[in-house]
Amino acid sequence: MPAALWPSPVSTSDVARAAVRPAWPVASGGAVWWTEDRPEEGGRTTILRLAPDGSRAELLPPPWNARTRVHEYGGRPYAVAPGGAVVFTELTDQRLYLREPSGEIRALTPEGDRYADLTVRDGQVWCVRERHLDGGKVSRSVVTVPLAGGEAAEHVTGHDFYACPTLSPDGLLLAYVCWNHPRMPWHGTELRVTRLDGGETWTVAGGLAESVLAPLWRDDGHLYLISDRSGWWNLYAAAVDGGELEPLCPREEEFTWPLLTLGGLPYALLADGRLAVLHGHADLRLAVLDPRTGLLTDLDTPYRGWESTLSTDGTSVLGIAYSPTTPPSITRINPPGHSNAAVTPDTGRTPALGGAGQGGEAGEEALGGAGRGGEVLAGGSGRLPDPAYLPTPRPVTLPGEDGREVHAFLYPPAHPDHAVTEPRPYVIFVHGGPTAHAVTALDLGKAFLTSRGIGVLDVNYGGSTGYGRAYRELLKGRWGLTDVADTVAAARWLAAEGHADPDRIAIRGGSAGGWTVMAACCRSEVFAGGVSYYGVSALAPLNAHTHDFESRYVEWLVGPEDLRLYAEREPLALSGGVSCPMLLLQGLDDPVVPPEQSAAFAEALAERGVPCTYLTFDGEAHGFRRAETRSAALAAELAFYQQVFL
């Protein structure tokens, strides 16, 4: 008789409210700016500011919505201007607006274009501009937009994609990252420099098989950058006029996440010349690197990892930290060697400025005993349960395809009144991307399951980032094979190790993860059910209708368009192999994976009489943002598991 699910205090509304989280922190002049998503306000994004005196202000009241749609995945939608003004992109029309310190807001650009990677310098907004032209064509360039008003000036054009435009200290040179179709930025990019007076341009680093990211000027003649030429995204120094790159700290670790959104920098230059850096595998640790000696010193924090964006005012470091019991929180740390009145003197730590501390109550310690008086900002991360209901993830490796290692995080069921005495039902989580990875940040969506007695295994299948270029490229030409083989292997490992009841293992994922869910259910019989959020089911329609940024991605993941090859790989063509129930959830305004993808798969299963529930949500795009949608989707998911695990 299958074991019953446990009662849990973690509700669907708790999970929906947890989507209120800070992002894109910027430190400047003693103040801190960041964005915050508001699921209960229709999913809009606002901008907040914490002043040096501790006062906080929300800069954009409803209905303003600060989001950029460049590449559709967007990125940091604002930049801070001198004097406390803020330039931001409004979602509804994608225009740039200037918010004055007085609160007055005025448009800087006409409608029709999109803007991202914003920086304000000498009265100009430097940014990447994206133009959508007739016939579905898209062009991008690096431009400046005057804060005082007037037409944008184009400085660099000719490549399909641009990122990270950054001016030299003397303002004479512009460094930037660029690449062309069919490559993605984790396949091959170039770091180029253009002399603004005359337009002379040259390549500093990169190429077809080297991913170069995140340039930062050390001085007028030298740049820092990240490259994976060693097989790992490591830090280098480069002379602007050419020559060999100088590795600063060679390690078989990553110093960044993949470039999927624009506007973040995974390291920061301190006033004394040291670099605040992030390094590790799936979870990145915060450290200080002395580029002169190569000495890397980890900072002692209770956090498991940091998101791949840092900011500094020269002395303190601002970033988004997390742990299995702490949601992503904007945290300011003063590395040893600097003084800052807000820092706890004996630890070099400061309180969290966003998110929620352990236990989730204002005034509790967000830094595990080292950062006293952690402050929870308005909205925060909602109500957190007693930590006894939170799972403790542990990294595991399991045998995958051809006996190689597959990386994953195991989240056993956790409940103060129930012990695990027998194999439990499990859900395998499959991340999207697919060039991405799972981390161990507190996720109430997982706690929603584990507190009910359903375990979770979050799989970083072959092709995931965080484990070097060779692991990342295991998916080249094998999307729908390697990812499927690894998730099937994960299910079998769960059963063999006694964690899971082999008859009660489900699989769920979104976007590219939804593709893997559908493909795994087509190609195996190990799953009791599959849940796909806005998943890909057919390749030719995806190529024809998806957005420009990923429009050639399938060529690398599967191969050049070939209907016979596609029929051997795509879930829609293989849907006859599905024998388990499925739940498909889809936003009807999705520009990345159009609704027809889920609808076609649902129809194919219905024709064969395979149980399939297909739920659609008006006004939702790629990734659900509204609280009511998140809550309804999770309720449907739990009901589905209750049925398939009986």
Side-chain angles (χ1 to χ4, degrees):
M1 183 72 178
L5 299 186
W6 304 333
S8 170
V10 184
S11 68
T12 60
S13 60
D14 290 334
V15 179
R17 285 195 298 268
V20 177
R21 52 163 293 179
W24 302 113
V26 171
S28 178
V32 175
W33 285 260
W34 70 96
T35 65
E36 190 172 276
D37 293 341
R38 297 287 176 82
E40 294 183 337
E41 296 179 20
R44 81 180 186 96
T45 300
T46 188
I47 301 173
L48 296 99
R49 177 179 183 268
L50 184 71
D53 64 5
S55 61
R56 191 199 60 203
E58 180 176 344
L59 304 185
L60 299 180
W64 290 104
N65 193 349
R67 283 173 57 200
T68 171
R69 290 187 59 190
V70 170
H71 296 178
E72 293 299 350
Y73 292 122
R76 178 169 49 83
Y78 75 99
V80 178
V86 174
V87 178
F88 68 94
T89 299
E90 161 61 30
L91 175 66
T92 55
D93 58 15
Q94 289 296 289
R95 300 170 75 181
L96 285 181
Y97 288 83
L98 177 67
R99 184 201 183 274
E100 300 282 6
S102 64
E104 176 189 356
I105 297 177
R106 59 182 174 86
L108 296 179
T109 59
E111 292 188 44
D113 296 331
R114 304 177 183 183
Y115 304 87
D117 238 341
L118 314 177
T119 302
V120 177
R121 174 89 175 261
D122 300 329
Q124 303 281 337
V125 184
W126 289 83
C127 56
V128 174
R129 181 177 66 188
E130 181 178 278
R131 287 191 151 169
H132 289 250
L133 309 172
D134 292 340
K137 294 183 179 180
V138 181
S139 70
R140 297 173 186 87
S141 56
V142 178
V143 304
T144 49
V145 176
L147 287 178
E151 292 188 6
E154 192 170 73
H155 298 279
V156 177
T157 187
H159 284 80
D160 293 332
F161 301 98
Y162 293 94
C164 314
T166 177
L167 277 176
S168 60
D170 61 13
L172 300 180
L173 302 176
L174 176 70
Y176 52 92
V177 171
C178 57
W179 68 99
N180 291 317
H181 283 306
R183 288 175 290 162
M184 301 298 290
W186 42 87
H187 298 154
T189 62
E190 290 182 81
L191 170 57
R192 309 194 88 190
V193 172
T194 292
R195 192 176 305 279
L196 295 175
D197 182 12
E200 179 189 1
T201 297
W202 61 95
T203 299
V204 175
L208 294 177
E210 180 183 1
S211 174
V212 178
L213 306 170
L216 178 67
W217 291 92
R218 187 181 80 187
D219 52 46
D220 288 330
H222 298 83
L223 284 159
Y224 293 121
L225 59 97
I226 289 178
S227 167
D228 71 348
R229 58 174 48 196
S230 69
W232 299 82
W233 273 315
N234 278 194
L235 270 162
Y236 294 82
V240 173
D241 57 3
E244 290 296 315
L245 300 189
E246 176 192 353
L248 299 182
C249 185
R251 285 181 171 232
E252 290 190 350
E253 293 184 327
E254 307 282 38
F255 281 70
T256 187
W257 288 356
L259 178 65
L260 187 64
T261 56
L262 299 178
L265 194 68
Y267 62 103
L269 178 60
L270 301 174
D272 62 5
R274 296 180 300 165
L275 296 170
V277 302
L278 301 170
H279 70 104
H281 292 128
D283 293 315
L284 301 181
R285 302 184 301 280
L286 179 65
V288 172
L289 172 64
D290 188 333
R292 296 157 294 193
T293 64
L295 179 63
L296 184 71
T297 305
D298 283 340
L299 298 184
D300 180 22
T301 79
Y303 292 117
R304 181 75 64 88
W306 294 70
E307 295 186 6
S308 187
T309 182
L310 295 177
S311 180
T312 183
D313 57 8
T315 54
S316 62
V317 178
L318 192 66
I320 300 178
Y322 60 80
S323 79
T325 55
T326 306
S329 305
I330 296 179
T331 305
R332 182 168 53 196
I333 289 183
N334 194 76
H338 291 294
S339 62
N340 186 319
V343 178
T344 306
D346 60 341
T347 64
R349 301 181 187 144
T350 65
L353 299 173
Q358 296 178 6
E361 298 296 330
E364 292 193 8
E365 296 170 5
L367 290 174
R372 302 293 188 250
E375 181 185 6
V376 178
L377 301 181
S381 289
R383 183 182 68 87
L384 296 184
D386 185 304
Y389 291 96
L390 299 178
T392 301
R394 62 182 178 92
V396 297
T397 56
L398 54 98
E401 193 177 39
D402 299 326
R404 61 170 173 76
E405 288 187 341
V406 176
H407 301 278
F409 294 110
L410 181 69
Y411 293 78
H415 196 293
D417 300 327
H418 296 273
V420 176
T421 59
E422 58 186 326
R424 296 295 306 180
Y426 261 77
V427 179
I428 290 180
F429 276 43
V430 186
H431 64 72
T435 307
H437 64 268
V439 298
T440 59
L442 172 61
D443 178 355
L444 283 189
K446 292 187 178 74
F448 180 83
L449 298 177
T450 57
S451 62
R452 286 171 166 79
I454 301 173
V456 169
L457 184 68
D458 209 349
V459 180
N460 281 325
Y461 50 82
S464 301
T465 52
Y467 305 95
R469 183 163 188 138
Y471 194 79
R472 196 165 80 231
E473 293 195 338
L474 289 172
L475 209 58
K476 183 178 182 180
R478 294 188 55 79
W479 193 35
L481 298 177
T482 295
D483 50 325
V484 169
D486 287 357
T487 51
V488 170
R492 290 176 174 150
W493 177 86
L494 281 171
E497 293 293 314
H499 297 295
D501 178 342
D503 295 325
R504 295 197 296 163
I505 301 175
I507 182 172
R508 61 97 72 187
S511 189
W515 154 282
T516 304
V517 167
M518 290 186 273
C521 292
C522 291
R523 292 181 175 273
S524 73
E525 296 182 352
V526 302
F527 299 109
V531 179
S532 168
Y533 282 78
Y534 32 86
V536 176
S537 70
L539 295 173
L542 180 72
N543 291 343
H545 299 293
T546 193
H547 60 135
D548 182 65
F549 178 61
E550 293 180 313
S551 62
R552 305 281 299 276
Y553 196 6
V554 171
E555 293 181 27
W556 187 88
L557 291 168
V558 178
E561 186 157 337
D562 181 329
L563 296 183
R564 288 180 297 178
L565 174 63
Y566 285 5
E568 295 171 357
R569 198 70 64 83
E570 63 187 21
L572 184 60
L574 302 173
S575 59
V578 178
S579 59
C580 65
M582 299 202 69
L583 171 64
L584 311 180
L585 305 102
Q586 178 70 49
L588 293 179
D589 294 341
D590 193 335
V592 178
V593 180
E596 291 78 12
Q597 293 277 332
S598 292
F601 196 74
E603 183 178 345
L605 296 187
E607 289 177 353
R608 294 182 48 245
V610 176
C612 178
T613 300
Y614 176 42
L615 301 180
T616 61
F617 299 91
D618 286 322
E620 291 287 6
H622 200 66
F624 299 159
R625 301 183 65 87
R626 297 172 178 171
E628 59 270 25
T629 303
R630 291 174 179 266
S631 184
L634 190 57
E637 196 174 341
L638 178 61
F640 177 79
Y641 296 141
Q642 289 172 324
Q643 291 176 349
V644 302
F645 289 155
L646 285 179

